[in-house]
Amino acid sequence: MEKWQMYVTIRQLHEKGFSRRSIAEKLNCSRNTVDKYLNMEAEEFSTWLASTAARKKKLDDYEADVLTGLRKHPDMSSAQVCDWLEEKYPGFNTAESTVRRYVKSLREEYRIPKVTPKRAYEAVSESPMGFQMQVDFGQCEQRTVGGQTIKLYVAAFVLSHSRYKYMEWQDRPFTTNDLVHIHVRAFQHFGGKAREIVYDQDNIIVVSENNGDIIFTQQFEAYRRNEAFQVYACRGADPESKGKIENVIGFIKKSFAKHRPYTNLDRWNEEAIDWLDRRGNGKKHNTTKKRPVDVFRLERETLRPISVFASVAAEDKNVIHSNESITRVVRKDNVVLYESNRYSVPLGTYDGQGKSVKLVVQDDTLTIIESETGEVLGKHRLSLEKGKLIQDRSHKRDRSKGIPQYMESVAQKFEQYDLATAFLDEIKVKYPRYLRDQLQLINRQWDRHSAKVINLALEQCVNQKLFSGTDFEDMIQFLESIIVETTETALAQSYVEQLTPEAEMTYHVRPETRQLDTYVAILEGK
């Protein structure tokens, strides 16, 4: 019905002498729509309209999601809509041009206009591979899931030739120390460094322009000398000098950060890396018409190697701390994200409640430590590649045996084999998809607790119909607490029994309790 009303209105305005351009502006629709409707007679339009009503578009299943996003955020771009659909629906695989046309049709159909600010840039010649990298900073305000507002700060890096990007976020303004640390991680991410790096004349980098002879901050200058790269400090608002990174900052703000709910900083940085892999580096660039990740495979070979930065730490101890710990959250697949790689932790570490661990980097080793207990969960050799899964063999599932054999091996560890088999059979019925995880949880108890307590816990779980690995573990801990309490009581009683009759009489003597007035009288000298 809305399309028919649009058709009638366009015909009426055209009969009144309005130009096709003015009709499009007045009705907030495209010039092509006006041309299409004016070139169709009423009967022809009715036939076409009836045919479109029965035809289902490829993205109609996502119409509710798209409309909700457009109505809530009218300035959202079609590229951002496409990215959100890819993130929400892992199996979503539709060309961005299809999404763009669909968003455009929904905007026209439901009258949701979009105003895009324009900015002019002058074309700049391309830099050779490995020659230049551009760095800039940005900040934005985000809404938390609780509705509060938080200010976040981002440092972004881009290789000028391939447009391959890296970014890192903080919830506080950057310092020179932060900048040096981020450079180290960015260079590790790229697998090398460019010969020249372009910056704004930011006060965490530059102390004074000195008539063109730039004076850098002490920490940054020490790091720059050690890594031996050239610095080009351009003037502010100079798109010809650093237009690529300005575009990246704008792209990050509009496509990644805009309207994205904030939970915590670790999760935000993980989402940022995922977004770079999926869109920032994974989609075709508008200028080069190539995917940055594809060009980067060639440009990476031209980057200069990263220097050992121990000398920087010696000059200024505040720059690099090899024993600093970094907090991360364990992902649901029992891995920890660090420098775009995934490092494994023992199966079952993920608890579904945002379990945090600390990462300690020393030389070429990454140590993962449980935050609460200090237990070392794993040690891995750092990988210089990106997007890799580094997994300890002991962290992997025991796939050398099938499920029946695994159940048999676990049951044989108990004194009451038949009772253990019945217990595991119940778990198999209750948790068919997670049976191996349940068996591994039960199997780990033999390395942590005594056989006596484990066998007693089995009896109690069966008697109370508690058929799960978690309940079994909780029962063991409960029984151990009772054993400790009982042992302490028995020791105390044994001590009393060993006393002589006179000593035992003294042991049971209790001091006399006097009234407060007695002590007051003594203090007053009475």
Side-chain angles (χ1 to χ4, degrees):
M1 183 60 68
E2 290 188 5
K3 290 184 178 179
W4 176 255
Q5 292 176 351
M6 173 77 76
Y7 173 79
V8 173
T9 304
I10 289 175
R11 304 289 294 194
Q12 290 176 347
L13 291 174
H14 187 257
E15 290 174 359
K16 292 179 180 180
F18 285 89
S19 67
R20 300 192 177 203
R21 181 184 297 276
S22 61
I23 293 174
E25 292 176 354
K26 187 176 183 63
L27 298 181
N28 194 27
C29 63
S30 69
R31 173 75 176 274
N32 291 338
T33 300
V34 175
D35 292 339
K36 179 179 178 180
Y37 285 11
L38 288 177
N39 291 332
M40 300 174 69
E41 298 297 331
E43 183 177 351
E44 183 183 0
F45 184 81
S46 299
T47 303
W48 173 81
L49 193 60
S51 66
T52 59
R55 187 176 61 201
K56 183 177 180 180
K57 294 183 179 179
K58 185 176 182 179
L59 295 176
D60 281 346
D61 292 338
Y62 307 97
E63 180 178 347
D65 288 333
V66 177
L67 275 178
T68 300
L70 291 177
R71 284 169 172 163
K72 187 176 181 180
H73 310 294
D75 56 344
M76 189 161 57
S77 67
S78 59
Q80 193 172 13
V81 170
C82 184
D83 182 57
W84 279 20
L85 290 175
E86 290 175 354
E87 184 174 355
K88 186 174 182 180
Y89 302 100
F92 184 84
N93 185 20
T94 303
E96 189 170 334
S97 58
T98 303
V99 177
R100 182 166 57 250
R101 289 192 296 270
Y102 189 72
V103 170
K104 181 180 179 181
S105 66
L106 289 183
R107 286 189 181 279
E108 293 178 355
E109 182 176 354
Y110 293 94
R111 309 289 181 87
I112 306 175
K114 179 176 183 290
V115 179
T116 305
K118 302 291 184 181
R119 181 176 180 179
Y121 290 92
E122 180 181 345
V124 181
S125 58
E126 292 295 333
S127 302
M129 284 190 178
F131 175 75
Q132 188 185 84
M133 177 186 294
Q134 298 187 6
V135 181
D136 203 1
F137 308 92
Q139 63 185 51
C140 59
E141 291 186 348
Q142 300 298 135
R143 287 283 184 181
T144 67
V145 291
Q148 299 175 333
T149 301
I150 184 172
K151 182 173 285 188
L152 297 177
Y153 303 83
V154 62
F157 296 69
V158 61
L159 289 169
S160 296
H161 183 85
S162 64
R163 270 61 166 194
Y164 194 78
K165 310 164 193 67
Y166 175 77
M167 64 172 156
E168 194 166 317
W169 292 81
Q170 289 189 177
D171 54 6
R172 56 181 172 78
F174 290 100
T175 64
T176 306
N177 193 29
D178 294 329
L179 180 63
V180 172
H181 278 78
I182 292 172
H183 270 72
V184 173
R185 291 189 285 271
F187 289 169
Q188 290 175 346
H189 178 83
F190 290 120
K193 61 179 181 287
R195 296 180 180 276
E196 178 186 85
I197 303 182
V198 179
Y199 302 91
D200 265 336
Q201 292 188 16
D202 194 282
N203 58 8
I204 66 175
I205 300 174
V206 176
V207 175
S208 171
E209 294 184 39
N210 195 28
N211 296 320
D213 187 11
I214 306 297
I215 300 175
F216 300 103
T217 59
Q218 181 180 357
Q219 291 182 16
F220 182 77
E221 175 62 14
Y223 179 72
R224 187 200 66 79
R225 287 201 312 269
N226 188 79
E227 286 291 350
F229 57 79
Q230 300 175 6
V231 171
Y232 182 90
C234 60
R235 299 179 181 274
D238 183 10
E240 285 75 26
S241 297
K242 56 180 177 60
K244 296 181 180 68
I245 191 61
E246 285 197 343
N247 283 337
V248 170
I249 291 293
F251 185 32
I252 290 172
K253 287 182 178 180
K254 294 176 183 177
S255 184
F256 169 73
K258 197 171 188 178
H259 308 313
R260 182 182 291 270
Y262 175 84
T263 51
N264 60 65
L265 189 60
D266 287 336
R267 177 67 181 274
W268 186 264
N269 272 307
E270 288 182 3
E271 291 175 348
I273 295 300
D274 290 342
W275 178 86
L276 282 175
D277 293 340
R278 183 178 62 250
R279 177 159 294 274
N281 294 323
K283 294 290 184 180
K284 185 182 295 184
H285 194 274
N286 286 336
T287 301
T288 65
K289 305 304 179 184
K290 299 176 182 178
R291 297 197 313 157
V293 66
D294 295 333
V295 184
F296 174 68
R297 292 191 183 100
L298 299 175
E299 186 173 18
R300 184 175 186 174
E301 302 300 323
T302 67
L303 296 177
R304 301 170 66 196
I306 306 170
S307 303
V308 178
F309 47 80
S311 59
V312 182
E315 292 180 26
D316 186 348
K317 294 182 180 179
N318 293 323
V319 177
I320 300 294
H321 300 282
S322 61
N323 60 347
E324 280 189 341
S325 63
I326 307 165
T327 302
R328 287 289 187 270
V329 176
V330 178
R331 292 182 149 194
K332 63 183 179 181
D333 51 354
N334 288 286
V335 297
V336 176
L337 187 68
Y338 179 72
E339 299 295 350
S340 301
N341 289 318
R342 295 171 294 151
Y343 294 85
S344 70
V345 293
L347 194 67
T349 303
Y350 174 75
D351 59 1
Q353 299 178 358
K355 187 179 189 68
S356 65
V357 294
K358 292 187 179 298
L359 309 183
V360 177
V361 180
Q362 293 179 325
D363 299 328
D364 61 346
T365 302
L366 174 69
T367 305
I368 306 174
I369 303 172
E370 188 170 6
S371 299
E372 295 181 0
T373 65
E375 177 187 359
V376 176
L377 298 176
K379 288 187 177 181
H380 301 276
R381 182 178 294 276
L382 286 173
S383 173
L384 298 179
E385 298 182 77
K386 301 301 170 188
K388 298 295 183 181
L389 171 63
I390 297 86
Q391 192 169 43
D392 190 325
R393 297 179 68 89
S394 63
H395 295 168
K396 297 173 67 176
R397 294 180 173 183
D398 183 8
R399 299 187 182 275
S400 60
K401 302 175 182 178
I403 290 293
Q405 291 81 4
Y406 198 10
M407 291 180 64
E408 178 71 13
S409 66
V410 173
Q412 287 179 353
K413 293 186 176 184
F414 292 88
E415 292 178 357
Q416 302 183 61
Y417 171 80
D418 293 338
L419 189 65
T421 301
F423 176 66
L424 298 179
D425 286 339
E426 291 290 343
I427 293 179
K428 180 179 180 181
V429 173
K430 190 174 181 180
Y431 301 100
R433 293 179 56 195
Y434 304 95
L435 179 56
R436 189 182 294 272
D437 297 340
Q438 292 282 319
L439 293 173
Q440 288 179 335
L441 178 58
I442 294 170
N443 203 30
R444 282 201 296 267
Q445 307 310 314
W446 293 94
D447 298 328
R448 303 176 180 177
H449 308 282
S450 67
K452 181 179 179 180
V453 175
I454 292 176
N455 284 289
L456 184 57
L458 173 65
E459 295 179 7
Q460 294 299 319
C461 284
V462 173
N463 291 337
Q464 299 183 34
K465 300 185 185 314
L466 301 175
F467 301 110
S468 81
T470 304
D471 290 338
F472 182 73
E473 186 179 37
D474 292 341
M475 180 62 71
I476 291 175
Q477 295 175 358
F478 172 73
L479 292 175
E480 284 185 336
S481 66
I482 293 178
I483 291 173
V484 171
E485 183 179 350
T486 304
T487 302
E488 291 175 350
T489 304
L491 288 173
Q493 183 62 34
S494 174
Y495 174 78
V496 173
E497 291 175 357
Q498 294 175 13
L499 296 175
T500 63
E502 294 79 7
E504 183 178 0
M505 186 178 298
T506 304
Y507 180 84
H508 292 290
V509 170
R510 295 291 181 267
E512 177 184 356
T513 303
R514 299 182 180 181
Q515 298 295 323
L516 183 62
D517 294 339
T518 304
Y519 295 96
V520 174
I522 294 173
L523 293 173
E524 291 177 350
K526 295 180 181 179

